[in-house]
């Protein structure tokens, strides 16, 4: 595996999408820094990447806290120049409007919108100081574009993230920083999604899902890699991903 003098930082490196992105960029030679609140849960991922010949560095990270985000990105940049930052915190909750407390709304907004602002701003600061350009990418959702029943908190936060990313893209593009927003209009193949399918339709329906009914985390990681490979004369701001059978 050819190594690069560059780092990729993943904010919200969960067990599925975040882990798949880490595997992909590590496999392409990047030093990958991964952060989540429970850093001990990153150890198997980093061991897997190391066994494959890559390098993955785990961090305890609260994506809602300015100091935590700054320290994480500065550590990644000190290891190797920061070239890619992907903001991927999870905050998908479905709560009826009258049961959406102030605490729920605020926490979802902090994870799905504020965390993106903090990671984007600090990534831009470092990349501009380095003078090498780079990529700042945000994981969006169906809720980025439309608000469904029970998603008042999540949809408003994700829509805010999308507009923030768009403003960043306009400001940072001329400075050689590619900002993109990925809309995942799909059920992603995770344990959580499969459990919801079992609860709604039964174990047999979950076991016999048609091929391609759920989007694979590795496919999302490949999309992020493709975005990072684009040249500045044809940058994509927004890409939407969905299985062929998804209604849209």
């Amino acid at each position: 595996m050819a190594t690069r003098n560059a780092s990729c930082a993943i904010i919200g490196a969960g067990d599925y999408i975040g882990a798949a992105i880490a595997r992909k960029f590590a496999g392409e030679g990047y030093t990958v820094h991964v952060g989540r609140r429970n850093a001990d849960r990153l150890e198997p991922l980093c061991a897997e990447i190391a066994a494959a010949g890559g390098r993955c560095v785990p961090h305890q990270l609260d994506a809602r806290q300015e100091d935590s985000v700054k320290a994480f990105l500065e550590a990644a940049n000190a290891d190797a120049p920061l070239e890619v930052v992907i903001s991927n915190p999870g905050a998908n909750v479905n709560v009826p409007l009258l049961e959406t407390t102030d605490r729920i709304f605020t926490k979802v907004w902090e994870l799905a919108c504020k965390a993106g602002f903090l990671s984007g701003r600090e990534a831009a600061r470092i990349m501009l100081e380095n003078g090498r350009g780079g990529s700042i990418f945000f994981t969006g959702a169906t809720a980025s574009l439309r608000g469904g029943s029970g998603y008042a908190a999540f949809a408003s936060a994700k829509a805010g993230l999308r507009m923030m990313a768009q403003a960043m893209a306009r400001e940072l593009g001329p400075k050689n920083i590619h900002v993109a927003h990925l809309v995942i209009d799909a059920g992603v193949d995770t344990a959580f999604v499969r459990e919801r399918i079992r609860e709604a339709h039964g174990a047999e329906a979950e076991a016999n899902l048609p091929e391609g009914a759920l989007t694979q985390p590795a496919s999302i990681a490949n999309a992020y890699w493709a975005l990072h490979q684009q040249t500045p004369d044809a940058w994509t701001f927004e890409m939407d991903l969905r299985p062929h059978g998804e209604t849209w």
Side-chain angles (χ1 to χ4, degrees):
M1 177 188 302
T3 59
R4 303 168 188 256
N5 180 32
S7 64
C8 167
I10 303 167
I11 295 171
D15 298 332
Y16 295 97
I17 296 175
I21 296 169
R23 293 185 189 100
K24 178 62 180 177
F25 278 81
E28 297 293 344
Y30 282 85
T31 295
V32 176
H33 287 256
V34 288
R36 64 187 291 177
R37 279 174 290 177
N38 300 316
D40 58 310
R41 295 179 64 180
L42 292 166
E43 292 176 6
L45 171 66
C46 290
E48 175 192 340
I49 288 173
R55 184 160 182 265
C56 180
V57 184
H59 298 259
Q60 193 284 325
L61 170 68
D62 187 339
R64 302 168 296 174
Q65 299 299 320
E66 182 176 38
D67 289 345
S68 184
V69 172
K70 290 176 69 173
F72 172 64
L73 294 179
E74 287 171 359
N77 187 59
D79 193 4
L82 189 63
E83 189 173 298
V84 186
V85 172
I86 297 173
S87 180
N88 182 62
N92 189 346
V93 297
N94 183 298
V95 184
L97 179 65
L98 298 186
E99 297 174 23
T100 302
T101 63
D102 177 78
R103 180 178 179 276
I104 290 173
F105 188 92
T106 301
K107 184 176 181 180
V108 171
W109 175 78
E110 286 181 331
L111 281 170
C113 190
K114 179 187 176 185
F117 160 71
L118 292 174
S119 58
R121 186 193 67 187
E122 293 309 309
R125 190 191 312 279
I126 291 171
M127 290 175 183
L128 290 171
E129 289 175 355
N130 288 348
R132 293 167 44 129
S135 298
I136 304 174
F137 298 151
F138 300 94
T139 300
T142 305
S144 304
L145 307 178
R146 58 185 182 274
S149 176
Y151 288 102
F154 186 61
S156 59
K158 280 296 188 181
L161 177 73
R162 180 176 183 246
M163 290 297 97
M164 186 274 300
Q166 194 174 106
M168 283 183 55
R170 291 191 166 102
E171 183 173 346
L172 296 175
K175 299 175 182 179
N176 198 33
I177 295 177
H178 183 190
V179 178
H181 178 254
L182 191 67
V183 177
I184 303 176
D185 185 22
V188 179
D189 196 354
T190 67
F192 172 73
V193 168
R194 285 186 173 273
E195 178 60 28
R196 289 180 62 181
I197 293 171
R198 284 194 294 272
E199 290 174 353
H201 305 290
E204 184 176 351
E206 184 271 327
N208 294 295
L209 285 169
E211 184 177 355
L214 298 177
T215 294
Q216 299 302 308
S219 299
I220 296 171
N222 288 339
Y224 271 129
W225 177 252
L227 283 171
H228 181 54
Q229 294 305 295
Q230 291 180 336
T231 54
D233 61 313
W235 273 347
T236 293
F237 165 68
E238 190 160 75
M239 177 187 291
D240 53 343
L241 300 181
R242 63 182 62 86
H244 59 78
E246 185 76 16
T247 301
W248 61 290

